[in-house]
Amino acid sequence: MLQTPTLTQYLLRHLSAHPDQKGLTMIMSDIAVIGKALSREINRAGLINIFGLVGMTNIQGEQVHKLDQIANQLTKDYLRQTGHFSALSSEEEDGVVDMGEYGKDARYVIAFDPLDGSSNIDVNVSIGTIFSVHTRRDDVERTDEKQFFQTGRSQVLAGYILYGSSTVLVFSFGDGVHEFTLDQGLGEFLLSTERIQMPEKCPYYSVNEGNYDYFPQRDRAFIDYLKAENKCDLRYIGSAVADFHRTLKKGGVFMYPAIDKDGTGHYKGKYRLNFENKPMAFLAEQAGAVVLDGERNILDIEPTALHQRAAFVMGSKAMINHYLTS
Ligand code: AHG
Ligand code: MN
Ligand code: MN
């Protein structure tokens, strides 16, 4: 019954192999607590009237759902008191959140998307939480937003929690990407897949084809190729964490191309570089996959704004090479 290690056991083993990573190991354990708490809130959302909108728009210009706000507040409050972080940024917060007394001597900063896939909250479709951890920079103030202008490659921990048919926690310290599944009855995350490697095959492509006419030519040509020659099926959930997780485990292409809806010739990405692209690209590379912004590897991009957006094109090395010649 209990043949697989718990997250606690796994992290203790990680710590004995990496004695310098005590802080990061404790951070991962604390994020798991947030995953359990949010899983509980999400699983009873319909019963305690926390579906629906709060009647506000956030800095992204999006309608804020009650669960966005609950997830954001719970994550901020819990992470603050851990004392691990000098500053925190959230997709739901306009600017950097100062950790105050708790953050004075902290060595890390964290960016997170408290609830990804908000449009799916009220219809019981999988949603997720995404997190990205950097070492605190000493060349700028601890709460300066430049703390988050570090490249994706310099992340020291990244991952997500996916609230689906089961609740899974997927993360990497940069030494393989691993999946844990929550045993609700036990209240423990148990190791379900170690060192995930994305399959080379391409059973699915995943994109919001409703925007096809607004994609750049390369993206349209690539999608045509996937349908005509590669004959892969379409799977699109509209929750980045769920679409990413399926692509990581089953293989395929997952993309959110830049779009130009008003015909200005200016194509814009939707995903947020700090809160979605960078953490997911970090995991993808650990699994042998590649994520571009349409041109560059996401992990090499140095953000210049906290809420900067970028396109997202994920696939195997072979598929991405084909994309670049489309
Ligand atoms: P969020 O809910 O954090 O704003 O993110 C939503 C994102 C992502 O999860 C999803 O893939 C995408 O928005 C869906 O966008 P479309 O509805 O435009 O396809
Ligand atoms: Mn999101
Ligand atoms: Mn979100």
Side-chain angles (χ1 to χ4, degrees), residues 242-258:
D243 284 315
F244 179 87
H245 189 69
R246 183 206 52 250
T247 308
L248 198 69
K249 302 274 313 235
K250 299 287 184 195
V253 167
F254 171 36
M255 44 201 302
Y256 203 101

Side-chain angles (χ1 to χ4, degrees), residues 60 62 68 91-92 112-118 128 130 239-241 270-272 275-276 280:
Q60 316 294 342
E62 293 162 345
D68 283 320
E91 186 191 87
E92 298 298 330
F112 64 93
D113 180 354
L115 214 57
D116 173 77
S118 305
I130 311 171
S239 276
V241 175
K270 171 173 189 178
Y271 286 178
R272 278 61 53 140
F275 308 107
E276 295 163 325
M280 288 197 286

Side-chain angles (χ1 to χ4, degrees), residues 289-303:
V290 179
V291 184
L292 304 183
D293 72 341
E295 293 291 340
R296 301 165 293 175
N297 187 312
I298 288 283
L299 294 178
D300 298 328
I301 299 173
E302 206 167 285

